[in-house]
Amino acid sequence: MTIAERIVARHLPQQGFKTGLCKAMTMALLVATPFGLQAKVDDSLTYEPVAPTIDQARANILIARQLQFTHFRELGISDELSGDVFDAYLEYLDGQKIYLTQQDLNQFQRVRMQLGAALKTGQLQPGFDIYNLTQQRIIERLKFALGLIDQGIDQLDFSTKESMLLDRSDANWEPNQKALDALWIKRVKNAVLAQRLNGTDDDTITENLRRRFEGQLKRAYQARSEDAFQAYMNAFTGMWDPHTSYFSPRTSENFNINMSLSLEGIGAVLQSDNEYTKVVRLVPGGPASKQGQLQPADRIVSVAQGDEKPVNVIGWRLDEVVDLIRGPRNSVVTLEVIPANASDETITKAIAIKRDEVKLEEQSASKDVIELQRGDTDYTVGVITIPTFYADFQAMQAGDPNYKSTTRDVRNLIKELEADGVDGLVVDLRNNGGGALHEANDLVGLFIDKGPTVQIRNANNDVQVLKDEDPSVAYDGPLVVLTNRMSASASEIFAGAIQDYGRGLVVGSQTFGKGTVQAVRPLNHGQLKITQSKFYRVSGGSTQHKGVIPDIEIPSRIDKSRIGEDALDHALPWDQIEAVPHNRYFDFSGIIDELRQRHEERFSTSPEFSLLQQEIDFLQAQREMDSVSLNFEARKTQHEQIERTRLSIANARRELRGEEPFATLEDLEDWQDQQAADLNTTDDELDFVIREGGHIMADMLELDRRMVSIVAPKQYTAKASAQ
């Protein structure tokens, strides 16, 4: 008898429900009991349905009012919005469509268009009914998976030609529990197969999967009213834009701790992503950033303290995951993550990070010098790397005349570089997620005599123009600004202003597109982070959604379809307002085609770029895989091909540096672990993108010697068109 035939052997016990659910939802729970395997779990546990509180209802009413009357986007609560909230809520609760069935959804249809009216008046029960049924279905699915494991994973058949869809977000809901059973057999088979291919024995696989599913099951039984409320409110607030969100009282506490920078941890910003906790960005200078292995869009599967066994955190609340990762300085936490570029969720990687404080001095701007030999001419290029836009507000408020800030530090670095006789300057803003707005404004002022730097429009269409009022200029030579997809907010303001003024060239990849401003407003219960205004460049175009488009583009490993404002649901659109008068220091239109041609010629013969493009193509092929084979031989062949490619790319990079290649992938991974463990390891050779920025700067000088000083001779003053 096959596993598929065994699943009808006995019923899962129906869990009891207390009063409080509406009659229709109660009936849905009673009639949709699935057939499945009996897991060896504690059957004395029952799911206790959660119910809304009076405080939550009041907070809901306040949230609805603030969204309608103070948010930047004008959006009424309509029947259409009600349906969108319904869909977003289901996506949050079951985004991969692995718990609920179409039969379950049919029970919800009658409330689909009623949620909006209910949310206006604090009637939360419909949302809680949906949440309670989903939790019950999660429990049933996890018991089914545990039942499969109890039967023995050696009973699973890996000789068929089955395959499994990797991303089910756009798939249809399974029609009934029988179809869902078949799907979950595939999910368990996929998890077993992935671990077998990594050399894990069946006993360990069984232990790993049991620990994972039991941990999720425990969390499902421990659902709280606040979990349902926060999920429901964020589905609601997310209709206005992805940066507007509700913070429960507990989440508010974590948010305030993070904003004060007093947190000892790993230096990563996290958010909930369906049942996972996802890395949004790394704090510059923080332990995770310095360790180098954790990346944005990685999803955390488990957390281990020191040498202890890992705790599976799939399905955990965000605040609980944060508590688990947070810890005393110099202690080690190990995160098991699904890498952002993994072909499926069964591929994980363990990353050990030593906790520490995020120190301001480690976020500071730094400088370097590179020498370029071009024919008979040598160029000295200054490089200033700015990880974030920072200011020591405490020292500033205390009246310390030497307080640290981005602009002050960069001004001093420019003086040192000019003393070194640099011919031009490269400012590296890659991975700079923003920071203090006034620092972006002041930093622009180091490169222009004076003028507007950014426009800010609020919900009432009032426009505030920030300006550099200081006529002094710290640097008047040729300038290149490097950006990538992780350059956001204040970085985009600086890069956009430099581009609009014709003060320098932007080189790299399209920036994030975060062009909105949020404010945190207290509620009677928790807080509301709400978008209240929008950034616009001096040329009139918004940095929102579109970001800054580089003058010369360099491809990046970062997946734009997953990271960036335009990858987020309900992001505010790009638009433009009237430009403000500003100087235009140089018109690059006469030389930009030649600059691009020279750049492309260099890259066409560059082994570093060839290797980068090979890696991008490899990652893209991984991302484009929409299904995975459940046949052992076919999967093994695919797995070995992926490993060979990874090893080939790593060894090609080592050969460029004159280093010995690795014999096996295990050798590569051991070396990576050793490098990550040593936070003092540095790479003395600046990456080739920075060097290319220097070459572009040299090209600028060769094509037009007026760039020796492009601030003094202002070309013209105009209302430039939007970029």
Side-chain angles (χ1 to χ4, degrees), residues 3-68:
I3 289 289
E5 290 168 338
R6 288 190 181 113
I7 64 172
V8 295
R10 52 185 175 271
H11 293 277
L12 283 175
Q14 173 64 39
Q15 302 302 324
F17 267 67
K18 289 188 174 182
T19 58
L21 293 174
C22 68
K23 183 177 180 181
M25 294 299 154
T26 304
M27 288 303 297
L29 294 171
L30 294 175
V31 302
T33 306
F35 292 94
L37 294 164
Q38 175 66 56
K40 295 176 184 177
V41 294
D42 186 355
D43 287 330
S44 66
L45 295 174
T46 58
Y47 175 69
E48 299 290 339
V50 297
T53 67
I54 294 176
D55 283 343
Q56 289 169 350
R58 289 172 178 165
N60 171 203
I61 294 171
L62 291 173
I63 290 169
R65 288 175 181 170
Q66 297 230 27
L67 290 173
Q68 290 181 92

Side-chain angles (χ1 to χ4, degrees), residues 101-259:
T101 67
Q102 187 59 54
Q103 288 180 344
D104 292 326
L105 263 66
N106 293 340
Q107 299 291 333
F108 299 147
Q109 290 305 317
R110 68 178 194 84
V111 302
R112 176 186 176 89
M113 307 310 291
Q114 300 173 8
L115 294 184
L119 285 164
K120 277 185 178 180
T121 54
Q123 299 177 48
L124 296 170
Q125 193 60 51
F128 275 67
D129 290 339
I130 295 171
Y131 182 87
N132 283 320
L133 179 57
T134 304
Q135 290 301 112
Q136 175 67 11
R137 293 293 183 250
I138 290 172
I139 290 169
E140 291 165 355
R141 287 295 98 208
L142 293 172
K143 284 189 173 184
F144 178 83
L146 287 165
L148 281 174
I149 294 169
D150 289 340
Q151 287 283 346
I153 62 175
D154 59 320
Q155 300 296 308
L156 297 170
D157 184 3
F158 295 100
S159 64
T160 67
K161 293 184 178 181
E162 282 184 309
S163 63
M164 189 187 79
L165 190 65
L166 291 173
D167 182 2
R168 289 182 45 81
S169 57
D170 293 327
N172 293 325
W173 296 91
E174 295 295 344
N176 50 43
Q177 291 292 344
K178 183 178 179 180
L180 209 54
D181 287 346
L183 171 63
W184 271 79
I185 292 173
K186 287 186 176 183
R187 286 175 58 81
V188 172
K189 288 175 69 173
N190 186 43
V192 171
L193 188 52
Q195 293 190 55
R196 278 185 179 173
L197 290 172
N198 286 330
T200 309
D201 64 81
D202 279 7
D203 288 342
T204 305
I205 293 173
T206 299
E207 180 184 353
N208 290 344
L209 293 180
R210 171 164 281 282
R211 186 168 62 243
R212 169 181 172 177
F213 292 133
E214 285 180 343
Q216 290 178 253
L217 187 61
K218 179 181 178 182
R219 288 294 148 184
Y221 277 122
Q222 294 175 345
R224 304 177 305 186
S225 174
E226 201 57 50
D227 300 333
F229 182 63
Q230 181 160 299
Y232 194 27
M233 285 303 100
N234 281 325
F236 181 39
T237 61
M239 294 298 102
W240 275 258
D241 86 303
H243 303 291
T244 295
S245 57
Y246 167 73
F247 295 158
S248 69
R250 179 75 175 106
T251 306
S252 298
E253 178 185 338
N254 280 320
F255 177 78
N256 293 335
I257 290 174
N258 279 303
M259 290 303 290

